[in-house]
Amino acid sequence: MSTDFIKMVSEIHDERFLVQVQNLIRNKIPCGFFTGFNFQNDALSIVKNLRNTGFNITCICCVDAIPDGGGRKI
């Protein structure tokens, strides 16, 4: 595959993503926020910033376990 083709596909994906994000904000569509942060305060801070930009965040899910077995299992 040529690098030009890969670049074109990447740009198309970015444009579609941006359109979808703008649609979420414009229509106040409820959405969830899923994060790998183990610290609730970090996730809450990010969600507050997202809400300030217009996202209608209605659900927050935070990881509370370390997948390699080093943490508490849910």
Side-chain angles (χ1 to χ4, degrees):
M1 255 187 227
S2 77
T3 57
D4 291 337
F5 176 75
I6 293 171
K7 182 179 178 187
M8 180 192 69
V9 170
S10 175
E11 289 173 356
I12 290 170
H13 173 73
D14 290 345
E15 289 176 23
R16 287 183 186 163
F17 179 77
L18 183 58
V19 167
Q20 292 302 317
V21 166
Q22 290 170 340
N23 187 44
L24 287 172
I25 293 171
R26 181 179 47 255
N27 295 314
K28 300 290 184 195
I29 296 171
C31 53
F33 180 75
F34 300 88
T35 179
F37 289 111
N38 285 324
F39 303 103
Q40 185 179 16
N41 290 339
D42 292 338
L44 291 175
S45 174
I46 292 169
V47 168
K48 285 178 185 176
N49 288 334
L50 289 171
R51 283 185 172 165
N52 287 339
T53 62
F55 282 95
N56 182 14
I57 307 286
T58 58
C59 173
I60 305 171
C61 295
C62 298
V63 172
D64 190 27
I66 300 171
D68 65 3
R72 172 172 68 134
K73 301 293 183 214
I74 299 174

Short mmCIF file of all heavy atoms in Angstrom, two decimals:
data_model
loop_
_atom_site.label_atom_id
_atom_site.label_comp_id
_atom_site.label_asym_id
_atom_site.label_seq_id
_atom_site.Cartn_x
_atom_site.Cartn_y
_atom_site.Cartn_z
N MET A 1 0.84 -1.19 0.00
CA MET A 1 0.00 0.00 0.00
C MET A 1 0.88 1.24 0.00
O MET A 1 1.87 1.29 0.69
CB MET A 1 -0.84 0.01 1.26
CG MET A 1 -2.26 -0.35 1.05
SD MET A 1 -3.21 -0.12 2.54
CE MET A 1 -4.05 -1.66 2.51
N SER A 2 0.47 2.20 -0.75
CA SER A 2 1.26 3.43 -0.78
C SER A 2 0.96 4.28 0.45
O SER A 2 -0.12 4.22 1.03
CB SER A 2 0.97 4.22 -2.05
OG SER A 2 -0.27 4.88 -1.93
N THR A 3 1.93 5.06 0.84
CA THR A 3 1.74 5.94 1.99
C THR A 3 0.69 7.01 1.69
O THR A 3 0.01 7.47 2.60
CB THR A 3 3.06 6.60 2.41
OG1 THR A 3 3.59 7.31 1.30
CG2 THR A 3 4.04 5.58 2.92
N ASP A 4 0.54 7.40 0.41
CA ASP A 4 -0.49 8.38 0.05
C ASP A 4 -1.89 7.82 0.32
O ASP A 4 -2.76 8.53 0.83
CB ASP A 4 -0.37 8.78 -1.42
CG ASP A 4 0.87 9.60 -1.71
OD1 ASP A 4 1.40 10.21 -0.76
OD2 ASP A 4 1.29 9.62 -2.87
N PHE A 5 -2.10 6.54 0.00
CA PHE A 5 -3.39 5.92 0.23
C PHE A 5 -3.68 5.84 1.73
O PHE A 5 -4.78 6.16 2.18
CB PHE A 5 -3.44 4.52 -0.38
CG PHE A 5 -4.73 3.80 -0.10
CD1 PHE A 5 -5.90 4.14 -0.77
CD2 PHE A 5 -4.77 2.78 0.84
CE1 PHE A 5 -7.09 3.49 -0.50
CE2 PHE A 5 -5.96 2.12 1.12
CZ PHE A 5 -7.12 2.48 0.45
N ILE A 6 -2.69 5.44 2.50
CA ILE A 6 -2.88 5.35 3.95
C ILE A 6 -3.17 6.72 4.54
O ILE A 6 -4.04 6.87 5.40
CB ILE A 6 -1.63 4.70 4.61
CG1 ILE A 6 -1.54 3.25 4.16
CG2 ILE A 6 -1.69 4.81 6.12
CD1 ILE A 6 -0.25 2.56 4.56
N LYS A 7 -2.48 7.73 4.07
CA LYS A 7 -2.72 9.10 4.54
C LYS A 7 -4.14 9.54 4.19
O LYS A 7 -4.83 10.15 5.00
CB LYS A 7 -1.70 10.05 3.93
CG LYS A 7 -1.85 11.47 4.40
CD LYS A 7 -0.79 12.38 3.80
CE LYS A 7 -1.02 13.80 4.27
NZ LYS A 7 -0.16 14.75 3.61
N MET A 8 -4.61 9.23 2.98
CA MET A 8 -5.95 9.60 2.56
C MET A 8 -7.00 8.93 3.46
O MET A 8 -7.94 9.57 3.92
CB MET A 8 -6.20 9.20 1.11
CG MET A 8 -7.59 9.56 0.61
SD MET A 8 -8.00 8.78 -0.97
CE MET A 8 -8.13 7.06 -0.51
N VAL A 9 -6.84 7.64 3.73
CA VAL A 9 -7.78 6.92 4.59
C VAL A 9 -7.79 7.53 5.99
O VAL A 9 -8.85 7.71 6.60
CB VAL A 9 -7.44 5.41 4.63
CG1 VAL A 9 -8.25 4.69 5.69
CG2 VAL A 9 -7.67 4.78 3.26
N SER A 10 -6.63 7.87 6.49
CA SER A 10 -6.52 8.48 7.81
C SER A 10 -7.26 9.81 7.86
O SER A 10 -7.97 10.12 8.82
CB SER A 10 -5.05 8.67 8.17
OG SER A 10 -4.93 9.34 9.38
N GLU A 11 -7.09 10.62 6.83
CA GLU A 11 -7.76 11.93 6.78
C GLU A 11 -9.27 11.77 6.70
O GLU A 11 -10.01 12.52 7.34
CB GLU A 11 -7.23 12.74 5.60
CG GLU A 11 -5.80 13.22 5.83
CD GLU A 11 -5.20 13.88 4.60
OE1 GLU A 11 -5.84 13.91 3.53
OE2 GLU A 11 -4.04 14.35 4.71
N ILE A 12 -9.74 10.81 5.93
CA ILE A 12 -11.18 10.55 5.83
C ILE A 12 -11.73 10.13 7.20
O ILE A 12 -12.78 10.59 7.64
CB ILE A 12 -11.49 9.50 4.76
CG1 ILE A 12 -11.23 10.08 3.37
CG2 ILE A 12 -12.93 9.00 4.87
CD1 ILE A 12 -11.28 9.06 2.24
N HIS A 13 -11.01 9.24 7.87
CA HIS A 13 -11.43 8.81 9.20
C HIS A 13 -11.50 10.00 10.15
O HIS A 13 -12.47 10.14 10.90
CB HIS A 13 -10.46 7.76 9.74
CG HIS A 13 -10.73 7.38 11.16
ND1 HIS A 13 -11.81 6.61 11.53
CD2 HIS A 13 -10.08 7.70 12.31
CE1 HIS A 13 -11.81 6.46 12.85
NE2 HIS A 13 -10.78 7.11 13.33
N ASP A 14 -10.49 10.86 10.14
CA ASP A 14 -10.48 12.04 11.01
C ASP A 14 -11.67 12.95 10.73
O ASP A 14 -12.29 13.46 11.66
CB ASP A 14 -9.18 12.82 10.84
CG ASP A 14 -7.97 12.09 11.40
OD1 ASP A 14 -8.17 11.11 12.16
OD2 ASP A 14 -6.84 12.49 11.08
N GLU A 15 -12.00 13.14 9.46
CA GLU A 15 -13.13 13.99 9.10
C GLU A 15 -14.45 13.40 9.60
O GLU A 15 -15.29 14.10 10.14
CB GLU A 15 -13.20 14.19 7.58
CG GLU A 15 -12.09 15.08 7.05
CD GLU A 15 -12.13 15.18 5.53
OE1 GLU A 15 -13.19 14.95 4.92
OE2 GLU A 15 -11.07 15.48 4.95
N ARG A 16 -14.62 12.09 9.42
CA ARG A 16 -15.85 11.43 9.91
C ARG A 16 -15.95 11.53 11.42
O ARG A 16 -17.02 11.77 11.96
CB ARG A 16 -15.87 9.96 9.49
CG ARG A 16 -16.14 9.74 8.04
CD ARG A 16 -16.21 8.27 7.75
NE ARG A 16 -16.34 8.01 6.33
CZ ARG A 16 -16.10 6.84 5.79
NH1 ARG A 16 -15.74 5.81 6.52
NH2 ARG A 16 -16.23 6.68 4.49
N PHE A 17 -14.83 11.31 12.10
CA PHE A 17 -14.82 11.39 13.55
C PHE A 17 -15.24 12.78 14.01
O PHE A 17 -16.07 12.93 14.91
CB PHE A 17 -13.43 11.03 14.09
CG PHE A 17 -13.33 11.10 15.59
CD1 PHE A 17 -13.86 10.08 16.36
CD2 PHE A 17 -12.72 12.17 16.21
CE1 PHE A 17 -13.78 10.13 17.75
CE2 PHE A 17 -12.64 12.23 17.59
CZ PHE A 17 -13.16 11.21 18.36
N LEU A 18 -14.67 13.81 13.40
CA LEU A 18 -14.99 15.18 13.77
C LEU A 18 -16.47 15.48 13.53
O LEU A 18 -17.13 16.11 14.37
CB LEU A 18 -14.12 16.16 12.98
CG LEU A 18 -14.30 17.64 13.31
CD1 LEU A 18 -14.04 17.90 14.79
CD2 LEU A 18 -13.36 18.47 12.45
N VAL A 19 -17.02 15.01 12.42
CA VAL A 19 -18.44 15.21 12.13
C VAL A 19 -19.30 14.54 13.21
O VAL A 19 -20.27 15.12 13.69
CB VAL A 19 -18.80 14.67 10.73
CG1 VAL A 19 -20.30 14.57 10.54
CG2 VAL A 19 -18.17 15.54 9.66
N GLN A 20 -18.94 13.34 13.62
CA GLN A 20 -19.70 12.64 14.65
C GLN A 20 -19.62 13.35 15.99
O GLN A 20 -20.62 13.46 16.71
CB GLN A 20 -19.21 11.19 14.79
CG GLN A 20 -19.52 10.32 13.60
CD GLN A 20 -21.01 10.27 13.28
OE1 GLN A 20 -21.85 10.15 14.17
NE2 GLN A 20 -21.34 10.38 12.02
N VAL A 21 -18.45 13.85 16.34
CA VAL A 21 -18.28 14.58 17.60
C VAL A 21 -19.12 15.86 17.57
O VAL A 21 -19.82 16.17 18.54
CB VAL A 21 -16.79 14.90 17.85
CG1 VAL A 21 -16.62 15.94 18.95
CG2 VAL A 21 -16.03 13.64 18.20
N GLN A 22 -19.09 16.58 16.47
CA GLN A 22 -19.89 17.80 16.35
C GLN A 22 -21.38 17.49 16.44
O GLN A 22 -22.14 18.25 17.04
CB GLN A 22 -19.57 18.51 15.03
CG GLN A 22 -18.19 19.11 15.02
CD GLN A 22 -17.77 19.60 13.64
OE1 GLN A 22 -18.31 19.18 12.62
NE2 GLN A 22 -16.77 20.47 13.60
N ASN A 23 -21.79 16.36 15.89
CA ASN A 23 -23.19 15.93 15.96
C ASN A 23 -23.59 15.64 17.41
O ASN A 23 -24.68 16.02 17.85
CB ASN A 23 -23.40 14.70 15.08
CG ASN A 23 -24.85 14.30 14.98
OD1 ASN A 23 -25.72 15.14 14.80
ND2 ASN A 23 -25.10 13.01 15.10
N LEU A 24 -22.72 14.96 18.16
CA LEU A 24 -22.99 14.69 19.57
C LEU A 24 -23.21 15.98 20.35
O LEU A 24 -24.14 16.09 21.15
CB LEU A 24 -21.84 13.90 20.20
CG LEU A 24 -21.68 12.44 19.84
CD1 LEU A 24 -20.37 11.90 20.41
CD2 LEU A 24 -22.85 11.63 20.34
N ILE A 25 -22.35 16.95 20.13
CA ILE A 25 -22.42 18.22 20.85
C ILE A 25 -23.65 19.02 20.41
O ILE A 25 -24.42 19.50 21.25
CB ILE A 25 -21.13 19.03 20.64
CG1 ILE A 25 -19.96 18.32 21.32
CG2 ILE A 25 -21.29 20.45 21.17
CD1 ILE A 25 -18.60 18.91 21.00
N ARG A 26 -23.85 19.16 19.11
CA ARG A 26 -24.94 19.97 18.58
C ARG A 26 -26.30 19.46 19.03
O ARG A 26 -27.17 20.24 19.41
CB ARG A 26 -24.86 20.01 17.05
CG ARG A 26 -25.95 20.86 16.39
CD ARG A 26 -25.85 20.91 14.87
NE ARG A 26 -25.65 19.61 14.25
CZ ARG A 26 -24.49 19.16 13.72
NH1 ARG A 26 -23.41 19.92 13.76
NH2 ARG A 26 -24.41 17.98 13.15
N ASN A 27 -26.48 18.14 19.03
CA ASN A 27 -27.78 17.56 19.36
C ASN A 27 -27.90 17.14 20.82
O ASN A 27 -28.91 16.55 21.21
CB ASN A 27 -28.06 16.36 18.45
CG ASN A 27 -28.19 16.80 17.01
OD1 ASN A 27 -28.87 17.77 16.70
ND2 ASN A 27 -27.53 16.10 16.12
N LYS A 28 -26.87 17.45 21.62
CA LYS A 28 -26.87 17.10 23.05
C LYS A 28 -27.21 15.63 23.27
O LYS A 28 -27.95 15.27 24.17
CB LYS A 28 -27.84 18.00 23.83
CG LYS A 28 -27.51 19.46 23.77
CD LYS A 28 -26.25 19.73 24.55
CE LYS A 28 -25.96 21.23 24.58
NZ LYS A 28 -24.62 21.50 25.00
N ILE A 29 -26.65 14.77 22.44
CA ILE A 29 -26.91 13.34 22.53
C ILE A 29 -26.22 12.80 23.78
O ILE A 29 -25.02 13.02 23.97
CB ILE A 29 -26.39 12.61 21.27
CG1 ILE A 29 -27.17 13.10 20.04
CG2 ILE A 29 -26.50 11.10 21.43
CD1 ILE A 29 -26.60 12.62 18.73
N PRO A 30 -26.95 12.10 24.64
CA PRO A 30 -26.33 11.53 25.83
C PRO A 30 -25.24 10.54 25.44
O PRO A 30 -25.42 9.73 24.52
CB PRO A 30 -27.47 10.82 26.55
CG PRO A 30 -28.71 11.42 26.00
CD PRO A 30 -28.39 11.83 24.60
N CYS A 31 -24.10 10.62 26.10
CA CYS A 31 -23.02 9.69 25.81
C CYS A 31 -22.28 9.35 27.10
O CYS A 31 -22.36 10.06 28.09
CB CYS A 31 -22.08 10.25 24.75
SG CYS A 31 -21.44 11.88 25.07
N GLY A 32 -21.58 8.23 27.06
CA GLY A 32 -20.81 7.78 28.20
C GLY A 32 -19.34 8.09 28.03
O GLY A 32 -18.86 8.31 26.93
N PHE A 33 -18.64 8.09 29.13
CA PHE A 33 -17.20 8.32 29.14
C PHE A 33 -16.56 7.12 29.80
O PHE A 33 -16.81 6.82 30.96
CB PHE A 33 -16.87 9.60 29.90
CG PHE A 33 -15.41 9.91 29.97
CD1 PHE A 33 -14.74 10.39 28.86
CD2 PHE A 33 -14.70 9.72 31.13
CE1 PHE A 33 -13.39 10.67 28.90
CE2 PHE A 33 -13.34 10.00 31.19
CZ PHE A 33 -12.69 10.48 30.08
N PHE A 34 -15.75 6.38 29.05
CA PHE A 34 -15.08 5.19 29.55
C PHE A 34 -13.59 5.48 29.60
O PHE A 34 -13.02 5.95 28.61
CB PHE A 34 -15.37 3.99 28.64
CG PHE A 34 -16.83 3.69 28.55
CD1 PHE A 34 -17.63 4.32 27.61
CD2 PHE A 34 -17.42 2.80 29.43
CE1 PHE A 34 -18.98 4.06 27.53
CE2 PHE A 34 -18.77 2.53 29.37
CZ PHE A 34 -19.55 3.16 28.41
N THR A 35 -12.97 5.23 30.73
CA THR A 35 -11.57 5.60 30.88
C THR A 35 -10.76 4.52 31.56
O THR A 35 -11.28 3.74 32.34
CB THR A 35 -11.46 6.93 31.65
OG1 THR A 35 -10.08 7.26 31.81
CG2 THR A 35 -12.09 6.84 33.02
N GLY A 36 -9.50 4.52 31.28
CA GLY A 36 -8.56 3.62 31.93
C GLY A 36 -7.93 4.22 33.17
O GLY A 36 -7.09 3.62 33.79
N PHE A 37 -8.35 5.42 33.54
CA PHE A 37 -7.80 6.04 34.73
C PHE A 37 -8.22 5.27 35.97
O PHE A 37 -9.37 4.89 36.13
CB PHE A 37 -8.27 7.49 34.89
CG PHE A 37 -7.67 8.43 33.90
CD1 PHE A 37 -8.43 8.99 32.90
CD2 PHE A 37 -6.32 8.73 33.94
CE1 PHE A 37 -7.88 9.86 31.98
CE2 PHE A 37 -5.75 9.60 33.03
CZ PHE A 37 -6.53 10.16 32.05
N ASN A 38 -7.27 5.05 36.85
CA ASN A 38 -7.59 4.39 38.11
C ASN A 38 -8.02 5.40 39.17
O ASN A 38 -8.47 5.02 40.23
CB ASN A 38 -6.38 3.61 38.63
CG ASN A 38 -6.18 2.32 37.86
OD1 ASN A 38 -7.15 1.69 37.46
ND2 ASN A 38 -4.94 1.95 37.66
N PHE A 39 -7.86 6.66 38.86
CA PHE A 39 -8.16 7.68 39.84
C PHE A 39 -9.42 8.43 39.44
O PHE A 39 -9.46 9.10 38.41
CB PHE A 39 -6.99 8.66 39.99
CG PHE A 39 -5.71 7.95 40.37
CD1 PHE A 39 -4.74 7.72 39.42
CD2 PHE A 39 -5.51 7.49 41.65
CE1 PHE A 39 -3.57 7.06 39.74
CE2 PHE A 39 -4.35 6.83 42.00
CZ PHE A 39 -3.37 6.62 41.05
N GLN A 40 -10.43 8.31 40.25
CA GLN A 40 -11.73 8.90 39.94
C GLN A 40 -11.63 10.40 39.74
O GLN A 40 -12.28 10.96 38.87
CB GLN A 40 -12.72 8.57 41.06
CG GLN A 40 -14.13 9.03 40.76
CD GLN A 40 -15.09 8.66 41.88
OE1 GLN A 40 -14.68 8.33 42.98
NE2 GLN A 40 -16.36 8.73 41.59
N ASN A 41 -10.82 11.08 40.54
CA ASN A 41 -10.72 12.54 40.42
C ASN A 41 -10.21 12.96 39.05
O ASN A 41 -10.66 13.97 38.51
CB ASN A 41 -9.81 13.10 41.51
CG ASN A 41 -10.44 13.01 42.88
OD1 ASN A 41 -11.66 12.91 43.00
ND2 ASN A 41 -9.63 13.03 43.91
N ASP A 42 -9.25 12.21 38.48
CA ASP A 42 -8.76 12.53 37.14
C ASP A 42 -9.88 12.40 36.12
O ASP A 42 -10.04 13.27 35.25
CB ASP A 42 -7.61 11.61 36.75
CG ASP A 42 -6.36 11.86 37.58
OD1 ASP A 42 -6.22 12.95 38.14
OD2 ASP A 42 -5.52 10.94 37.64
N ALA A 43 -10.65 11.34 36.21
CA ALA A 43 -11.74 11.12 35.27
C ALA A 43 -12.80 12.20 35.42
O ALA A 43 -13.32 12.72 34.43
CB ALA A 43 -12.36 9.74 35.48
N LEU A 44 -13.12 12.56 36.65
CA LEU A 44 -14.13 13.60 36.88
C LEU A 44 -13.68 14.95 36.32
O LEU A 44 -14.49 15.68 35.75
CB LEU A 44 -14.46 13.72 38.37
CG LEU A 44 -15.21 12.55 38.97
CD1 LEU A 44 -15.37 12.73 40.47
CD2 LEU A 44 -16.56 12.37 38.30
N SER A 45 -12.41 15.25 36.45
CA SER A 45 -11.88 16.49 35.91
C SER A 45 -12.01 16.52 34.38
O SER A 45 -12.42 17.53 33.80
CB SER A 45 -10.42 16.65 36.32
OG SER A 45 -9.85 17.77 35.71
N ILE A 46 -11.69 15.41 33.74
CA ILE A 46 -11.81 15.33 32.28
C ILE A 46 -13.27 15.46 31.85
O ILE A 46 -13.58 16.16 30.90
CB ILE A 46 -11.19 14.01 31.77
CG1 ILE A 46 -9.67 14.04 31.97
CG2 ILE A 46 -11.54 13.77 30.31
CD1 ILE A 46 -8.99 12.72 31.75
N VAL A 47 -14.16 14.80 32.57
CA VAL A 47 -15.59 14.87 32.23
C VAL A 47 -16.11 16.29 32.39
O VAL A 47 -16.87 16.78 31.55
CB VAL A 47 -16.41 13.87 33.08
CG1 VAL A 47 -17.89 14.15 32.96
CG2 VAL A 47 -16.10 12.44 32.66
N LYS A 48 -15.69 16.99 33.43
CA LYS A 48 -16.11 18.39 33.61
C LYS A 48 -15.66 19.23 32.42
O LYS A 48 -16.41 20.06 31.92
CB LYS A 48 -15.54 18.95 34.91
CG LYS A 48 -16.25 18.44 36.14
CD LYS A 48 -15.63 18.99 37.40
CE LYS A 48 -16.27 18.37 38.62
NZ LYS A 48 -15.65 18.81 39.88
N ASN A 49 -14.42 19.00 31.96
CA ASN A 49 -13.92 19.74 30.79
C ASN A 49 -14.72 19.40 29.54
O ASN A 49 -15.03 20.29 28.73
CB ASN A 49 -12.44 19.45 30.57
CG ASN A 49 -11.57 20.10 31.62
OD1 ASN A 49 -11.94 21.12 32.20
ND2 ASN A 49 -10.42 19.52 31.87
N LEU A 50 -15.05 18.11 29.36
CA LEU A 50 -15.86 17.71 28.20
C LEU A 50 -17.24 18.35 28.26
O LEU A 50 -17.77 18.80 27.24
CB LEU A 50 -15.97 16.19 28.12
CG LEU A 50 -14.70 15.46 27.71
CD1 LEU A 50 -14.88 13.95 27.89
CD2 LEU A 50 -14.33 15.79 26.28
N ARG A 51 -17.85 18.37 29.44
CA ARG A 51 -19.17 19.00 29.58
C ARG A 51 -19.09 20.49 29.26
O ARG A 51 -20.02 21.04 28.67
CB ARG A 51 -19.71 18.77 30.99
CG ARG A 51 -20.26 17.38 31.18
CD ARG A 51 -20.90 17.23 32.53
NE ARG A 51 -21.58 15.95 32.64
CZ ARG A 51 -21.97 15.43 33.78
NH1 ARG A 51 -21.73 16.06 34.91
NH2 ARG A 51 -22.59 14.27 33.79
N ASN A 52 -17.99 21.14 29.65
CA ASN A 52 -17.83 22.56 29.35
C ASN A 52 -17.72 22.82 27.85
O ASN A 52 -18.01 23.92 27.39
CB ASN A 52 -16.59 23.12 30.06
CG ASN A 52 -16.81 23.28 31.54
OD1 ASN A 52 -17.93 23.35 32.01
ND2 ASN A 52 -15.73 23.30 32.30
N THR A 53 -17.30 21.82 27.08
CA THR A 53 -17.23 21.99 25.62
C THR A 53 -18.55 21.62 24.95
O THR A 53 -18.66 21.74 23.73
CB THR A 53 -16.09 21.16 25.01
OG1 THR A 53 -16.33 19.78 25.26
CG2 THR A 53 -14.75 21.56 25.56
N GLY A 54 -19.53 21.14 25.73
CA GLY A 54 -20.84 20.88 25.16
C GLY A 54 -21.29 19.43 25.14
O GLY A 54 -22.41 19.13 24.75
N PHE A 55 -20.42 18.49 25.53
CA PHE A 55 -20.82 17.09 25.55
C PHE A 55 -21.85 16.84 26.64
O PHE A 55 -21.76 17.41 27.73
CB PHE A 55 -19.62 16.17 25.81
CG PHE A 55 -18.76 15.96 24.60
CD1 PHE A 55 -17.64 16.73 24.39
CD2 PHE A 55 -19.07 14.97 23.68
CE1 PHE A 55 -16.83 16.52 23.28
CE2 PHE A 55 -18.28 14.76 22.57
CZ PHE A 55 -17.16 15.54 22.38
N ASN A 56 -22.83 15.99 26.35
CA ASN A 56 -23.85 15.60 27.31
C ASN A 56 -23.44 14.25 27.92
O ASN A 56 -23.99 13.21 27.59
CB ASN A 56 -25.21 15.51 26.62
CG ASN A 56 -26.32 15.16 27.58
OD1 ASN A 56 -26.17 15.22 28.79
ND2 ASN A 56 -27.46 14.79 27.03
N ILE A 57 -22.44 14.29 28.81
CA ILE A 57 -21.94 13.06 29.43
C ILE A 57 -22.93 12.64 30.52
O ILE A 57 -23.18 13.38 31.46
CB ILE A 57 -20.55 13.28 30.07
CG1 ILE A 57 -19.57 13.88 29.07
CG2 ILE A 57 -20.03 11.99 30.69
CD1 ILE A 57 -19.08 12.95 28.02
N THR A 58 -23.51 11.46 30.36
CA THR A 58 -24.50 10.98 31.32
C THR A 58 -24.04 9.76 32.10
O THR A 58 -24.72 9.31 33.02
CB THR A 58 -25.82 10.64 30.61
OG1 THR A 58 -25.57 9.64 29.62
CG2 THR A 58 -26.43 11.87 29.95
N CYS A 59 -22.88 9.22 31.72
CA CYS A 59 -22.39 8.00 32.35
C CYS A 59 -20.87 8.03 32.36
O CYS A 59 -20.25 8.39 31.37
CB CYS A 59 -22.88 6.78 31.57
SG CYS A 59 -22.20 5.21 32.10
N ILE A 60 -20.27 7.68 33.50
CA ILE A 60 -18.82 7.59 33.60
C ILE A 60 -18.47 6.19 34.09
O ILE A 60 -18.99 5.72 35.09
CB ILE A 60 -18.26 8.61 34.61
CG1 ILE A 60 -18.69 10.03 34.27
CG2 ILE A 60 -16.75 8.52 34.67
CD1 ILE A 60 -18.36 11.03 35.35
N CYS A 61 -17.58 5.52 33.37
CA CYS A 61 -17.10 4.20 33.79
C CYS A 61 -15.58 4.27 33.91
O CYS A 61 -14.90 4.60 32.95
CB CYS A 61 -17.48 3.13 32.78
SG CYS A 61 -19.25 2.88 32.65
N CYS A 62 -15.07 3.97 35.10
CA CYS A 62 -13.63 4.00 35.36
C CYS A 62 -13.13 2.61 35.68
O CYS A 62 -13.80 1.84 36.35
CB CYS A 62 -13.31 4.92 36.53
SG CYS A 62 -13.77 6.62 36.27
N VAL A 63 -11.93 2.32 35.22
CA VAL A 63 -11.29 1.05 35.52
C VAL A 63 -10.91 1.04 37.00
O VAL A 63 -10.36 2.00 37.52
CB VAL A 63 -10.04 0.86 34.65
CG1 VAL A 63 -9.26 -0.35 35.09
CG2 VAL A 63 -10.43 0.75 33.20
N ASP A 64 -11.21 -0.07 37.68
CA ASP A 64 -10.86 -0.19 39.09
C ASP A 64 -10.05 -1.46 39.32
O ASP A 64 -10.03 -2.00 40.40
CB ASP A 64 -12.12 -0.19 39.93
CG ASP A 64 -11.81 -0.07 41.42
OD1 ASP A 64 -10.77 0.52 41.75
OD2 ASP A 64 -12.60 -0.56 42.23
N ALA A 65 -9.42 -1.97 38.28
CA ALA A 65 -8.60 -3.18 38.40
C ALA A 65 -7.46 -3.10 37.40
O ALA A 65 -7.59 -2.48 36.35
CB ALA A 65 -9.44 -4.42 38.13
N ILE A 66 -6.37 -3.72 37.72
CA ILE A 66 -5.23 -3.76 36.83
C ILE A 66 -5.30 -5.09 36.07
O ILE A 66 -5.28 -6.15 36.68
CB ILE A 66 -3.91 -3.64 37.61
CG1 ILE A 66 -3.90 -2.31 38.36
CG2 ILE A 66 -2.72 -3.77 36.69
CD1 ILE A 66 -2.77 -2.16 39.33
N PRO A 67 -5.37 -5.05 34.74
CA PRO A 67 -5.61 -6.27 33.97
C PRO A 67 -4.53 -7.35 34.10
O PRO A 67 -4.79 -8.51 33.87
CB PRO A 67 -5.69 -5.81 32.52
CG PRO A 67 -5.53 -4.35 32.52
CD PRO A 67 -5.28 -3.88 33.91
N ASP A 68 -3.32 -6.98 34.48
CA ASP A 68 -2.26 -7.98 34.56
C ASP A 68 -2.31 -8.83 35.83
O ASP A 68 -1.41 -9.60 36.10
CB ASP A 68 -0.89 -7.33 34.42
CG ASP A 68 -0.57 -6.40 35.58
OD1 ASP A 68 -1.37 -6.30 36.53
OD2 ASP A 68 0.50 -5.77 35.53
N GLY A 69 -3.36 -8.67 36.62
CA GLY A 69 -3.50 -9.46 37.84
C GLY A 69 -2.93 -8.78 39.07
O GLY A 69 -3.02 -9.32 40.17
N GLY A 70 -2.38 -7.59 38.89
CA GLY A 70 -1.76 -6.91 40.03
C GLY A 70 -2.72 -6.13 40.89
O GLY A 70 -2.37 -5.59 41.92
N GLY A 71 -3.97 -6.06 40.47
CA GLY A 71 -4.92 -5.25 41.23
C GLY A 71 -6.12 -6.04 41.67
O GLY A 71 -6.20 -7.24 41.49
N ARG A 72 -7.02 -5.36 42.21
CA ARG A 72 -8.26 -5.94 42.71
C ARG A 72 -9.16 -6.31 41.54
O ARG A 72 -9.29 -5.56 40.60
CB ARG A 72 -8.87 -4.87 43.60
CG ARG A 72 -10.19 -5.08 44.12
CD ARG A 72 -10.50 -3.99 45.12
NE ARG A 72 -10.61 -2.70 44.48
CZ ARG A 72 -11.59 -1.85 44.72
NH1 ARG A 72 -12.50 -2.12 45.59
NH2 ARG A 72 -11.64 -0.71 44.09
N LYS A 73 -9.78 -7.44 41.58
CA LYS A 73 -10.67 -7.89 40.51
C LYS A 73 -12.09 -7.38 40.77
O LYS A 73 -12.54 -7.34 41.90
CB LYS A 73 -10.70 -9.42 40.41
CG LYS A 73 -9.35 -10.02 40.15
CD LYS A 73 -8.84 -9.64 38.79
CE LYS A 73 -7.53 -10.32 38.52
NZ LYS A 73 -6.61 -9.56 37.74
N ILE A 74 -12.76 -7.07 39.68
CA ILE A 74 -14.15 -6.60 39.79
C ILE A 74 -15.07 -7.77 39.60
O ILE A 74 -14.91 -8.59 38.75
CB ILE A 74 -14.43 -5.50 38.74
CG1 ILE A 74 -13.51 -4.32 39.00
CG2 ILE A 74 -15.88 -5.07 38.79
CD1 ILE A 74 -13.60 -3.24 37.96
#
